[in-house]
Amino acid sequence: MGLSDIVAGLMFVGVVAYALFGGADFGSGVWDLTAGDAESGAPLRSQIDRSIGPVWEANHVWLIYILVFLWTGFPTAFAAIMNTLFIPWLLVGLGIVLRGGAFAFRKFASTLREAQIHGAVFAASSLITPFFLGMIAGAIASGRVPLDGSGDVWTSWTGPTSWVGGALAVLTCTFLAGTFLAADAHRAGNTELAERVGTTALFVGAITGGAALVAAVTLEIDAEHLASGLHGRGLPLIAISAVAGSFSLLRLRQQRWDRARVGATIAVASIVVGWGVGQYPAILVDHADIDDVIGARPTQVGLLVVFGLAAVTVVPALAWLYVLVNGKRWARTH
């Protein structure tokens, strides 16, 4: 393993972290979308505010981390991805901005109608943003992003793998968020809300499992390189994801919300890592490997130094933040 592989691995750490933290954050917005009218949906929306309010900005730091690593560590690949996929990236950026603004302003709405408009924007952007991120991943995984950036601006991200990737991203985020919200509601003492969310999350998880099977078939047809990798070194991780997902569903059925959350987290992390392992060493499937597009060596060293500094300064603060907001004291007093 060379320095380029280490840099790529550190970048992928950000992908896994964003899938978990950003995914749960986006998924909470989908739950907001389906919470119901102003009266019946109020308890769930209040719980969503309590759960993601203190951490929603921190959850999206990982996207900045990924983009910085990509454009500095792999500038050629970054240019190819942005040139070919600029439309879905624009939609992702728009979704993130609208989502953040609406989530912040909803708290200060002067009327119910105004709050409902902000809520609708927040919920809708929470749905479309992970969907287009999944479509981007599908475009790269199916080999539709050439290294010279000359991919078709429409068909490159609208192939079968992209559609399945987008749908699976939304379902995964929703399932993950459901396990988090059920556990948070339980810690807050709202057993009724925990049961309501947990029961729905059980069905969402079952649907997500079915969608994963559809995705597997789609990859065999449309993304042969990735499918081949998943048959080999990525297979153990896929198996771990399946076992962890089943464990999570079982715990949801038993109303063991905290354990269901652990299972869902492992399931999502494993499937994302499995994708990376299955695709390795390609960074643009069928077009470029990591060593083909790695940046200058001083830049690689600089990225490692910055990562090391962040590991001893930023990561402990983030970890303490998550410990605080996941404690019973926070859940019962906010």
Side-chain angles (χ1 to χ4, degrees):
M1 176 179 289
L3 184 58
S4 59
D5 293 317
I6 295 174
V7 173
L10 293 179
M11 180 178 71
F12 204 75
V13 167
V15 175
V16 177
Y18 195 49
L20 293 175
F21 297 110
D25 202 283
F26 286 128
S28 296
V30 178
W31 283 93
D32 191 295
L33 181 67
T34 57
D37 58 29
E39 183 177 354
S40 63
L44 178 53
R45 292 193 175 97
S46 296
Q47 182 59 58
I48 291 170
D49 284 347
R50 287 196 298 273
S51 294
I52 70 172
V55 297
W56 70 276
E57 291 173 304
N59 288 340
H60 296 280
V61 164
W62 296 105
L63 179 59
I64 299 171
Y65 170 95
I66 296 166
L67 292 177
V68 169
F69 258 81
L70 185 59
W71 84 53
T72 54
F74 308 92
T76 311
F78 176 82
I81 292 170
M82 291 302 167
N83 280 330
T84 297
L85 303 175
F86 74 91
I87 293 175
W89 274 116
L90 282 174
L91 294 171
V92 166
L94 181 65
I96 291 174
V97 171
L98 289 177
R99 184 177 185 276
F103 184 68
F105 289 125
R106 181 169 67 171
K107 298 186 179 80
F108 304 101
S110 55
T111 64
L112 175 61
R113 180 60 179 164
E114 187 178 331
Q116 288 175 327
I117 292 174
H118 286 307
V121 173
F122 166 70
S125 53
S126 296
L127 180 69
I128 65 170
T129 306
F131 180 76
F132 285 113
L133 284 171
M135 295 196 88
I136 290 170
I140 296 171
S142 58
R144 288 182 168 85
V145 182
L147 184 56
D148 61 3
S150 62
D152 189 279
V153 296
W154 292 106
T155 59
S156 58
W157 56 280
T158 54
T161 303
S162 288
W163 286 107
V164 170
L168 196 58
V170 172
L171 287 169
T172 302
C173 291
T174 306
F175 173 59
L176 186 63
T179 63
F180 275 60
L181 290 171
D184 289 348
H186 178 68
R187 274 200 307 277
N190 193 339
T191 304
E192 181 180 350
L193 180 61
E195 292 178 357
R196 173 187 164 190
V197 175
T199 302
T200 307
L202 177 62
F203 287 103
V204 174
I207 295 171
T208 304
L213 295 177
V214 173
V217 175
T218 304
L219 292 180
E220 296 290 340
I221 300 171
D222 190 54
E224 295 180 4
H225 179 105
L226 178 58
S228 176
L230 294 177
H231 292 163
R233 54 180 175 265
L235 187 58
L237 290 158
I238 302 304
I240 291 172
S241 179
V243 172
S246 300
F247 172 81
S248 182
L249 293 179
L250 176 63
R251 292 308 187 187
L252 283 173
R253 184 175 173 79
Q254 296 173 341
Q255 300 187 354
R256 303 296 294 270
W257 315 120
D258 280 324
R259 295 186 180 185
R261 180 171 63 172
V262 172
T265 301
I266 295 174
V268 174
S270 298
I271 198 71
V272 175
V273 175
W275 164 41
V277 170
Q279 183 174 312
Y280 177 82
I283 193 166
L284 299 176
V285 172
D286 297 334
H287 297 285
D289 289 344
I290 292 169
D291 288 336
D292 298 331
V293 293
I294 188 67
R297 186 173 181 81
T299 303
Q300 298 175 54
V301 175
L303 284 170
L304 293 184
V305 171
V306 171
F307 178 85
L309 291 173
V312 297
T313 56
V314 178
V315 173
L318 283 175
W320 183 237
L321 172 64
Y322 289 118
V323 168
L324 285 177
V325 300
N326 280 283
K328 284 187 177 180
R329 183 177 179 184
W330 176 274
R332 293 180 183 276
T333 56
H334 291 81

